[in-house]
């Protein structure tokens, strides 16, 4: 049983052949997944002179060396093979006139290393091909329009079954010999996010409630450049690749915001850029992306940006794009070993909902589609070789009550404030206390999940990667454990 049909879940399902797979997801096809929204692409050391160790080194730098080195090396070494596999399935990656893969550059990478398709439509192109392959696979039964709502455990504490609810509200128990959670991220818990609505953290909350261990739950990546649309919590993303192509972050007066802030300037790691922009926004100032210097041919790579801007009545070739940091990616998740197993027998996790230690304290750009493909394929291939049947559940676990909309809204606002790009012990402690003091919040599944992120963030008093404590006693301008210029923020 695979729950979630983003890049990670689809790769598990495909690679598990011929073992029968039930694939549960809220929608059929790519819609509703973060995977389909991915713009930048997939990182892989496939360019001339590039090597997996260089990719791994950049991943460790971005992750503030909080990563598992073995997992990072495995991922970087597997990346070229993953690209080959996707090509063999039919993903039309962009190529130059010489037939070689075109490579883009994103923040934190020391060179152009990002393979892309359809310009800035990489996720959509990959998802189209993976969905087509799944539709053609007789071993996969896709149960779309269903939400996972409970896990059934056997008397021995092993996963034995799940309960799903369809769009008409009908609840069905299903046996599950092995349960793979691939339910994506948590952006929907916050007031501003680049994630789709389905990335609400419900899968993570349920796994934790069932007894799975969490890891690094306090590490949340904010993307510096979501489109600052006045209304709504789900904001369109303005890809970092635009900065890779020469766009610059500026203030109202046109001053370059990242100049003198970090040696990599506009292409500094995301957490560094997000903090700089957040400070400006908190001071009541606006921030902009200036892409007006890009020459006309460069815009062919960004049809998605042009379309997003056009929807808001902006022509980025002549006008500035208003941007804001927004929650983008959860580095933490269900703790899994290198094979994708959680501590709960029969429960596996992959993709953004999992934490294998590969991203450390801050994910390197374009490493998550890669993780979904590499780890999803490996987990599916392994589970495909095992057997077993589900059983009957001795005990059902759900994540907790659903809060009222008003409670949900105040929880979101509190979380956004406390777990933003700039954190302090005072706001973190206030959020923990407020949840504890309100039974409606404390009993809700969002409230329980919020505490699982807030408590370790409060306990981690020193800054590390995306977790930045403004009240850190230590010199929080230098990442813990690393002492080179590449990691320091100048201001
Ligand atoms: C706008 C945007 C741009 C990005 N760009 C890039 C990029 O260029 N490169 C890169 O590497 N990464 C990028 N990322 C990150 C990357 O897209 C995601 O981390 C990755 O795709 C997550 O894949 P996934 O399979 O784990 O989850 P998803 O693709 O989000 O899929 C989750 C699936 O789980 C289902 N689901 C969730 N909860 C339940 C439930 N309770 N019951 C049933 N089904 C459920 C959903 O319906 C969905 O099918 C981007 C993310 C966003 C939001």
């Amino acid at each position: 049983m695979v729950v979630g049909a983003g890049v990670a879940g689809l790769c598990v399902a495909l690679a598990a052949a011929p073992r029968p797979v039930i694939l549960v997801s809220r929608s059929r096809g790519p819609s509703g997944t973060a995977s389909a929204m991915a713009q930048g692409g997939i990182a892989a050391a496939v360019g001339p002179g590039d090597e997996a160790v260089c990719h791994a080194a950049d991943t460790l730098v971005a992750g503030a060396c909080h990563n598992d080195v073995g997992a990072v090396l495995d991922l970087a070494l597997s990346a070229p093979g993953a690209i080959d596999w996707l090509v063999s399935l039919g993903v039309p990656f962009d190529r130059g006139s010489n037939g070689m893969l075109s490579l883009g550059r994103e923040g934190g990478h020391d060179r152009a290393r990002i393979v892309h398709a359809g310009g800035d439509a990489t996720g959509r192109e990959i998802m189209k091909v993976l969905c087509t392959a799944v539709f053609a696979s007789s071993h996969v039964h896709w149960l779309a329009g269903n939400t996972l709502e409970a896990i059934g455990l056997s008397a021995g504490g092993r996963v034995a079954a799940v309960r799903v609810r369809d769009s008409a509200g009908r609840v069905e128990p299903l046996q599950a010999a092995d349960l793979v959670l691939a339910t994506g991220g948590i952006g929907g818990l916050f007031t501003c996010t680049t994630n789709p609505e389905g990335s609400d953290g419900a899968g993570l909350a349920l796994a934790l409630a069932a007894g799975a261990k969490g890891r690094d739950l306090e590490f949340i990546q904010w993307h510096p450049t979501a489109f600052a649309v006045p209304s709504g919590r789900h904001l369109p993303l303005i890809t970092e690749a635009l900065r890779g192509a020469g766009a610059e972050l500026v203030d109202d007066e046109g001053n370059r915001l990242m100049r003198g802030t970090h040696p990599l300037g506009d292409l500094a790691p995301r957490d560094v850029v997000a903090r700089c922009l957040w400070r400006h926004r908190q001071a009541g100032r606006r921030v902009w992306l200036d892409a007006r210097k890009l020459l006309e041919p460069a815009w062919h790579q960004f049809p998605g940006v042009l379309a997003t801007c056009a929807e808001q009545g902006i022509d980025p070739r002549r006008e500035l794009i208003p941007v804001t940091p927004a929650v983008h990616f959860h580095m933490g998740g269900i703790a899994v070993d290198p094979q994708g197993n959680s501590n709960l027998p029969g429960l596996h996790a992959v993709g953004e909902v999992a934490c294998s230690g590969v991203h450390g304290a801050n994910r390197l750009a374009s490493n998550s589609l890669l993780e979904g493909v590499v780890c999803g394929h490996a987990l599916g291939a392994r589970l495909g070789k095992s057997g077993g049947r589900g059983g009957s559940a001795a005990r059902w676990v759900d994540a907790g009550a659903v809060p009222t909309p008003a409670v949900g809204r105040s929880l979101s606002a509190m979380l956004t404030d406390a777990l933003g790009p700039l954190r302090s012990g005072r706001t973190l402690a206030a959020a923990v206390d407020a949840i504890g003091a309100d039974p409606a919040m404390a009993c809700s599944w969002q409230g329980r999940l919020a505490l699982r992120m807030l408590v370790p963030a409060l306990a981690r008093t020193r800054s590390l990667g995306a977790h930045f404590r403004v009240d850190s006693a230590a010199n929080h301008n230098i990442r813990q454990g690393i002492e080179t210029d590449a990691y320091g923020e100048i201001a």
Side-chain angles (χ1 to χ4, degrees), residues 346-369:
L347 181 71
H348 319 271
V350 70
E352 193 168 335
V353 73
C355 179
S356 65
V358 82
H359 301 299
N362 193 20
R363 175 190 67 126
L364 180 67
S366 286
N367 263 355
S368 45
L369 285 180

PDB file of all heavy atoms in Angstrom, residues 346-369:
ATOM      1  N   GLY A 346       6.568  -2.475   9.521  1.00  0.00           N
ATOM      2  CA  GLY A 346       5.614  -2.414   8.408  1.00  0.00           C
ATOM      3  C   GLY A 346       5.383  -1.016   7.870  1.00  0.00           C
ATOM      4  O   GLY A 346       4.723  -0.856   6.844  1.00  0.00           O
ATOM      5  N   LEU A 347       5.908   0.012   8.543  1.00  0.00           N
ATOM      6  CA  LEU A 347       5.718   1.384   8.055  1.00  0.00           C
ATOM      7  C   LEU A 347       7.017   1.896   7.423  1.00  0.00           C
ATOM      8  O   LEU A 347       8.075   1.877   8.057  1.00  0.00           O
ATOM      9  CB  LEU A 347       5.306   2.331   9.177  1.00  0.00           C
ATOM     10  CG  LEU A 347       5.071   3.773   8.711  1.00  0.00           C
ATOM     11  CD1 LEU A 347       3.793   3.888   7.882  1.00  0.00           C
ATOM     12  CD2 LEU A 347       5.014   4.743   9.881  1.00  0.00           C
ATOM     13  N   HIS A 348       6.899   2.357   6.198  1.00  0.00           N
ATOM     14  CA  HIS A 348       8.031   2.916   5.458  1.00  0.00           C
ATOM     15  C   HIS A 348       7.651   4.331   5.031  1.00  0.00           C
ATOM     16  O   HIS A 348       6.460   4.651   4.933  1.00  0.00           O
ATOM     17  CB  HIS A 348       8.340   2.064   4.225  1.00  0.00           C
ATOM     18  CG  HIS A 348       8.238   0.596   4.495  1.00  0.00           C
ATOM     19  ND1 HIS A 348       9.295  -0.163   4.944  1.00  0.00           N
ATOM     20  CD2 HIS A 348       7.173  -0.251   4.442  1.00  0.00           C
ATOM     21  CE1 HIS A 348       8.897  -1.404   5.128  1.00  0.00           C
ATOM     22  NE2 HIS A 348       7.615  -1.485   4.835  1.00  0.00           N
ATOM     23  N   ALA A 349       8.640   5.150   4.763  1.00  0.00           N
ATOM     24  CA  ALA A 349       8.325   6.516   4.322  1.00  0.00           C
ATOM     25  C   ALA A 349       9.367   6.965   3.316  1.00  0.00           C
ATOM     26  O   ALA A 349      10.530   6.546   3.370  1.00  0.00           O
ATOM     27  CB  ALA A 349       8.290   7.474   5.513  1.00  0.00           C
ATOM     28  N   VAL A 350       8.935   7.836   2.405  1.00  0.00           N
ATOM     29  CA  VAL A 350       9.829   8.288   1.333  1.00  0.00           C
ATOM     30  C   VAL A 350       9.364   9.648   0.823  1.00  0.00           C
ATOM     31  O   VAL A 350       8.200  10.014   0.971  1.00  0.00           O
ATOM     32  CB  VAL A 350       9.854   7.222   0.197  1.00  0.00           C
ATOM     33  CG1 VAL A 350       8.530   7.169  -0.546  1.00  0.00           C
ATOM     34  CG2 VAL A 350      11.001   7.432  -0.767  1.00  0.00           C
ATOM     35  N   GLY A 351      10.291  10.392   0.242  1.00  0.00           N
ATOM     36  CA  GLY A 351       9.943  11.722  -0.256  1.00  0.00           C
ATOM     37  C   GLY A 351       9.937  12.727   0.886  1.00  0.00           C
ATOM     38  O   GLY A 351      10.583  12.542   1.918  1.00  0.00           O
ATOM     39  N   GLU A 352       9.178  13.793   0.693  1.00  0.00           N
ATOM     40  CA  GLU A 352       9.263  14.907   1.641  1.00  0.00           C
ATOM     41  C   GLU A 352       8.754  14.545   3.035  1.00  0.00           C
ATOM     42  O   GLU A 352       9.207  15.129   4.027  1.00  0.00           O
ATOM     43  CB  GLU A 352       8.495  16.121   1.086  1.00  0.00           C
ATOM     44  CG  GLU A 352       8.807  17.386   1.850  1.00  0.00           C
ATOM     45  CD  GLU A 352       8.301  18.647   1.171  1.00  0.00           C
ATOM     46  OE1 GLU A 352       8.122  18.658  -0.055  1.00  0.00           O
ATOM     47  OE2 GLU A 352       8.094  19.634   1.897  1.00  0.00           O
ATOM     48  N   VAL A 353       7.856  13.593   3.149  1.00  0.00           N
ATOM     49  CA  VAL A 353       7.331  13.246   4.477  1.00  0.00           C
ATOM     50  C   VAL A 353       8.362  12.486   5.317  1.00  0.00           C
ATOM     51  O   VAL A 353       8.231  12.383   6.531  1.00  0.00           O
ATOM     52  CB  VAL A 353       6.028  12.407   4.344  1.00  0.00           C
ATOM     53  CG1 VAL A 353       6.310  10.979   3.882  1.00  0.00           C
ATOM     54  CG2 VAL A 353       5.252  12.388   5.653  1.00  0.00           C
ATOM     55  N   ALA A 354       9.399  11.971   4.661  1.00  0.00           N
ATOM     56  CA  ALA A 354      10.408  11.165   5.353  1.00  0.00           C
ATOM     57  C   ALA A 354      11.613  12.021   5.720  1.00  0.00           C
ATOM     58  O   ALA A 354      11.847  13.075   5.137  1.00  0.00           O
ATOM     59  CB  ALA A 354      10.862  10.027   4.441  1.00  0.00           C
ATOM     60  N   CYS A 355      12.381  11.561   6.692  1.00  0.00           N
ATOM     61  CA  CYS A 355      13.665  12.196   6.972  1.00  0.00           C
ATOM     62  C   CYS A 355      14.727  11.112   7.075  1.00  0.00           C
ATOM     63  O   CYS A 355      14.756  10.353   8.050  1.00  0.00           O
ATOM     64  CB  CYS A 355      13.607  13.019   8.257  1.00  0.00           C
ATOM     65  SG  CYS A 355      15.205  13.793   8.621  1.00  0.00           S
ATOM     66  N   SER A 356      15.562  11.055   6.041  1.00  0.00           N
ATOM     67  CA  SER A 356      16.640  10.055   6.021  1.00  0.00           C
ATOM     68  C   SER A 356      17.961  10.704   6.398  1.00  0.00           C
ATOM     69  O   SER A 356      18.985  10.041   6.416  1.00  0.00           O
ATOM     70  CB  SER A 356      16.760   9.470   4.609  1.00  0.00           C
ATOM     71  OG  SER A 356      17.176  10.500   3.721  1.00  0.00           O
ATOM     72  N   GLY A 357      17.935  12.005   6.649  1.00  0.00           N
ATOM     73  CA  GLY A 357      19.171  12.716   6.988  1.00  0.00           C
ATOM     74  C   GLY A 357      19.871  13.286   5.778  1.00  0.00           C
ATOM     75  O   GLY A 357      20.941  13.883   5.884  1.00  0.00           O
ATOM     76  N   VAL A 358      19.272  13.137   4.603  1.00  0.00           N
ATOM     77  CA  VAL A 358      19.974  13.566   3.400  1.00  0.00           C
ATOM     78  C   VAL A 358      20.018  15.098   3.269  1.00  0.00           C
ATOM     79  O   VAL A 358      20.988  15.654   2.750  1.00  0.00           O
ATOM     80  CB  VAL A 358      19.358  12.882   2.154  1.00  0.00           C
ATOM     81  CG1 VAL A 358      18.119  13.593   1.662  1.00  0.00           C
ATOM     82  CG2 VAL A 358      20.361  12.758   1.038  1.00  0.00           C
ATOM     83  N   HIS A 359      19.002  15.775   3.767  1.00  0.00           N
ATOM     84  CA  HIS A 359      18.948  17.235   3.588  1.00  0.00           C
ATOM     85  C   HIS A 359      19.559  18.015   4.742  1.00  0.00           C
ATOM     86  O   HIS A 359      19.734  19.229   4.623  1.00  0.00           O
ATOM     87  CB  HIS A 359      17.504  17.686   3.388  1.00  0.00           C
ATOM     88  CG  HIS A 359      16.838  17.046   2.212  1.00  0.00           C
ATOM     89  ND1 HIS A 359      17.287  17.204   0.930  1.00  0.00           N
ATOM     90  CD2 HIS A 359      15.770  16.205   2.142  1.00  0.00           C
ATOM     91  CE1 HIS A 359      16.526  16.506   0.107  1.00  0.00           C
ATOM     92  NE2 HIS A 359      15.602  15.890   0.821  1.00  0.00           N
ATOM     93  N   GLY A 360      19.840  17.353   5.850  1.00  0.00           N
ATOM     94  CA  GLY A 360      20.431  18.057   6.981  1.00  0.00           C
ATOM     95  C   GLY A 360      19.522  19.165   7.479  1.00  0.00           C
ATOM     96  O   GLY A 360      18.296  19.034   7.510  1.00  0.00           O
ATOM     97  N   ALA A 361      20.140  20.301   7.823  1.00  0.00           N
ATOM     98  CA  ALA A 361      19.374  21.402   8.409  1.00  0.00           C
ATOM     99  C   ALA A 361      18.805  22.332   7.349  1.00  0.00           C
ATOM    100  O   ALA A 361      18.111  23.288   7.689  1.00  0.00           O
ATOM    101  CB  ALA A 361      20.271  22.193   9.361  1.00  0.00           C
ATOM    102  N   ASN A 362      19.083  22.045   6.075  1.00  0.00           N
ATOM    103  CA  ASN A 362      18.596  22.920   5.013  1.00  0.00           C
ATOM    104  C   ASN A 362      18.808  22.217   3.678  1.00  0.00           C
ATOM    105  O   ASN A 362      19.934  21.860   3.332  1.00  0.00           O
ATOM    106  CB  ASN A 362      19.371  24.246   5.040  1.00  0.00           C
ATOM    107  CG  ASN A 362      18.726  25.307   4.199  1.00  0.00           C
ATOM    108  OD1 ASN A 362      17.542  25.235   3.883  1.00  0.00           O
ATOM    109  ND2 ASN A 362      19.512  26.297   3.828  1.00  0.00           N
ATOM    110  N   ARG A 363      17.738  22.021   2.929  1.00  0.00           N
ATOM    111  CA  ARG A 363      17.858  21.266   1.679  1.00  0.00           C
ATOM    112  C   ARG A 363      18.546  22.088   0.590  1.00  0.00           C
ATOM    113  O   ARG A 363      18.260  23.270   0.407  1.00  0.00           O
ATOM    114  CB  ARG A 363      16.463  20.892   1.195  1.00  0.00           C
ATOM    115  CG  ARG A 363      16.452  20.202  -0.151  1.00  0.00           C
ATOM    116  CD  ARG A 363      15.044  20.096  -0.649  1.00  0.00           C
ATOM    117  NE  ARG A 363      14.492  21.396  -0.957  1.00  0.00           N
ATOM    118  CZ  ARG A 363      13.941  21.714  -2.131  1.00  0.00           C
ATOM    119  NH1 ARG A 363      13.873  20.827  -3.102  1.00  0.00           N
ATOM    120  NH2 ARG A 363      13.444  22.921  -2.339  1.00  0.00           N
ATOM    121  N   LEU A 364      19.422  21.432  -0.140  1.00  0.00           N
ATOM    122  CA  LEU A 364      20.021  22.064  -1.314  1.00  0.00           C
ATOM    123  C   LEU A 364      18.996  22.038  -2.456  1.00  0.00           C
ATOM    124  O   LEU A 364      18.306  21.031  -2.659  1.00  0.00           O
ATOM    125  CB  LEU A 364      21.280  21.296  -1.733  1.00  0.00           C
ATOM    126  CG  LEU A 364      22.021  21.828  -2.959  1.00  0.00           C
ATOM    127  CD1 LEU A 364      22.640  23.196  -2.680  1.00  0.00           C
ATOM    128  CD2 LEU A 364      23.108  20.847  -3.391  1.00  0.00           C
ATOM    129  N   ALA A 365      18.912  23.150  -3.184  1.00  0.00           N
ATOM    130  CA  ALA A 365      17.935  23.263  -4.269  1.00  0.00           C
ATOM    131  C   ALA A 365      18.002  22.070  -5.218  1.00  0.00           C
ATOM    132  O   ALA A 365      19.085  21.589  -5.558  1.00  0.00           O
ATOM    133  CB  ALA A 365      18.211  24.554  -5.044  1.00  0.00           C
ATOM    134  N   SER A 366      16.833  21.603  -5.634  1.00  0.00           N
ATOM    135  CA  SER A 366      16.668  20.544  -6.644  1.00  0.00           C
ATOM    136  C   SER A 366      17.154  19.171  -6.197  1.00  0.00           C
ATOM    137  O   SER A 366      17.363  18.280  -7.014  1.00  0.00           O
ATOM    138  CB  SER A 366      17.319  20.935  -7.979  1.00  0.00           C
ATOM    139  OG  SER A 366      16.512  21.913  -8.604  1.00  0.00           O
ATOM    140  N   ASN A 367      17.317  19.000  -4.877  1.00  0.00           N
ATOM    141  CA  ASN A 367      17.671  17.668  -4.368  1.00  0.00           C
ATOM    142  C   ASN A 367      16.441  16.851  -3.973  1.00  0.00           C
ATOM    143  O   ASN A 367      16.573  15.674  -3.654  1.00  0.00           O
ATOM    144  CB  ASN A 367      18.570  17.801  -3.128  1.00  0.00           C
ATOM    145  CG  ASN A 367      20.048  17.668  -3.477  1.00  0.00           C
ATOM    146  OD1 ASN A 367      20.396  17.381  -4.624  1.00  0.00           O
ATOM    147  ND2 ASN A 367      20.914  17.872  -2.508  1.00  0.00           N
ATOM    148  N   SER A 368      15.236  17.445  -3.966  1.00  0.00           N
ATOM    149  CA  SER A 368      14.118  16.656  -3.438  1.00  0.00           C
ATOM    150  C   SER A 368      13.405  15.825  -4.491  1.00  0.00           C
ATOM    151  O   SER A 368      12.997  14.698  -4.207  1.00  0.00           O
ATOM    152  CB  SER A 368      13.130  17.531  -2.673  1.00  0.00           C
ATOM    153  OG  SER A 368      12.863  18.695  -3.368  1.00  0.00           O
ATOM    154  N   LEU A 369      13.277  16.342  -5.714  1.00  0.00           N
ATOM    155  CA  LEU A 369      12.768  15.445  -6.760  1.00  0.00           C
ATOM    156  C   LEU A 369      13.722  14.261  -6.883  1.00  0.00           C
ATOM    157  O   LEU A 369      13.310  13.113  -7.033  1.00  0.00           O
ATOM    158  CB  LEU A 369      12.693  16.175  -8.109  1.00  0.00           C
ATOM    159  CG  LEU A 369      11.576  17.188  -8.322  1.00  0.00           C
ATOM    160  CD1 LEU A 369      11.693  17.800  -9.719  1.00  0.00           C
ATOM    161  CD2 LEU A 369      10.204  16.570  -8.148  1.00  0.00           C
TER     162      LEU A 369
END
